[in-house]
Amino acid sequence: MTQSILIIYFLSLVVFVNGGVPFEFFQFVEQWGPNVCNTGARVSPCHTPPQAKFTIHGLWPSNHSNAHLLCQSITKYTKVLLLERQLNISWPDLKGGMNNEFWTHEWNFHGKCSDPPFSLFQYFQMSLNLLQKFDVLAILKAAGLNPQTSQNIGIQNIMTPIQRTTKKYPGIRCYKNVKTGKSQLNEIVLCLEKDGATLIDCPTFVSSTCAKSIVW
Ligand SMILES: *[C@@H]1O[C@H](CO)[C@@H](O)[C@H](O)[C@H]1NC(C)=O
Ligand SMILES: *[C@@H]1O[C@H](CO)[C@@H](O)[C@H](O)[C@H]1NC(C)=O
């Protein structure tokens, strides 16, 4: 009797811990290295000069309430060796140069929330696929925009080509350069259904940090 109660107790514990955390949508966050690393501070926050491209910041299971999701998966982070070469290129730790620590953080604070259904491997693979599939730099270039020449650009001019191409509203995140005082494009966010594949409009709270005119 006591034994079967104990067994039921442990079973329910396993189901609970394995249940992941309910979330409503994904934010896929791409960062623009040259601006992330150009804060205006005397010492650059980055350990090496970044390339002029968007790289992954993270794929974040999110709620519309924007509440911080506490992840409960029991899957501990382990290096995804099969993907490491590509992760080094597409998901580098711009600031510290500690890629593996960066990926560990993203998994522990975000990725775990979507496990299940997405395993650690699937989570990183899905992120790499999303960066390839939604090439924001190519979209902006096709619209005649270029980071070298677009010094002050209306935020709408960045939103519109992405919205036209993907048919969904992206989020735009900016950062104020402490030296110039200008608002600069830091991150572009694409929002997806829980399936990690179907784009949806980003909720407005995703982009509320930009001035009307920004530096890219
Ligand atoms: C997030 O949303 C899901 C589904 O609406 C809900 O079950 C869950 O409790 C929410 N989590 C938090 C931390 O608000
Ligand atoms: C990824 O980069 C790290 C340095 O950050 C390096 O030690 C490792 O060998 C690289 N992995 C691959 C597969 O290129």
Side-chain angles (χ1 to χ4, degrees):
M1 181 63 187
T2 327
Q3 244 177 4
S4 58
I5 287 176
L6 265 182
I7 287 169
I8 288 169
Y9 173 74
F10 281 116
L11 275 181
S12 62
L13 204 65
V14 167
V15 169
F16 174 71
V17 174
N18 253 336
V21 161
F23 65 100
E24 292 167 351
F25 68 104
F26 277 114
Q27 295 185 60
F28 179 59
V29 186
E30 303 184 26
Q31 53 184 359
W32 181 251
N35 282 353
V36 170
C37 296
N38 175 26
T39 56
R42 257 187 321 132
V43 180
S44 167
C46 295
H47 90 304
T48 46
Q51 294 173 277
K53 63 178 193 178
F54 287 97
T55 54
I56 301 170
H57 178 173
L59 178 63
W60 304 340
S62 306
N63 265 18
H64 285 91
S65 63
N66 205 12
H68 180 70
L69 301 178
L70 292 172
C71 303
Q72 291 171 348
S73 162
I74 48 171
T75 310
K76 282 229 176 71
Y77 175 83
T78 49
K79 274 190 171 191
V80 191
L81 290 174
L82 262 178
L83 302 177
E84 190 177 284
R85 209 179 65 84
Q86 197 52 46
L87 288 170
N88 272 351
I89 296 167
S90 302
W91 199 335
D93 172 23
L94 297 174
K95 295 198 169 151
M98 313 266 279
N99 293 351
N100 198 52
E101 282 73 3
F102 187 32
W103 305 330
T104 307
H105 171 92
E106 290 297 312
W107 172 256
N108 285 337
F109 283 85
H110 303 285
K112 257 164 68 164
C113 290
S114 55
D115 172 23
F118 300 106
S119 68
L120 180 105
F121 181 85
Q122 287 170 324
Y123 173 79
F124 284 99
Q125 174 88 78
M126 181 161 71
S127 304
L128 290 173
N129 290 347
L130 287 172
L131 188 73
Q132 257 199 344
K133 189 165 171 205
F134 302 109
D135 188 340
V136 172
L137 184 57
I139 294 174
L140 295 177
K141 282 189 167 167
L145 302 175
N146 193 308
Q148 265 89 54
T149 51
S150 308
Q151 272 311 298
N152 271 297
I153 180 167
I155 184 167
Q156 277 310 323
N157 295 346
I158 294 201
M159 297 276 272
T160 304
I162 299 173
Q163 191 268 333
R164 286 229 173 100
T165 310
T166 64
K167 309 275 186 273
K168 300 292 169 194
Y169 284 100
I172 311 275
R173 293 217 179 92
C174 297
Y175 183 89
K176 195 169 174 184
N177 185 297
V178 294
K179 196 162 151 204
T180 63
K182 287 187 174 167
S183 177
Q184 56 190 32
L185 174 71
N186 235 35
E187 297 182 324
I188 291 184
V189 187
L190 301 176
C191 298
L192 302 119
E193 302 263 20
K194 286 169 60 150
D195 63 6
T198 314
L199 279 183
I200 56 172
D201 288 329
C202 284
T204 47
F205 73 76
V206 168
S207 59
S208 50
T209 53
C210 296
K212 273 216 169 85
S213 170
I214 60 178
V215 174
W216 178 35

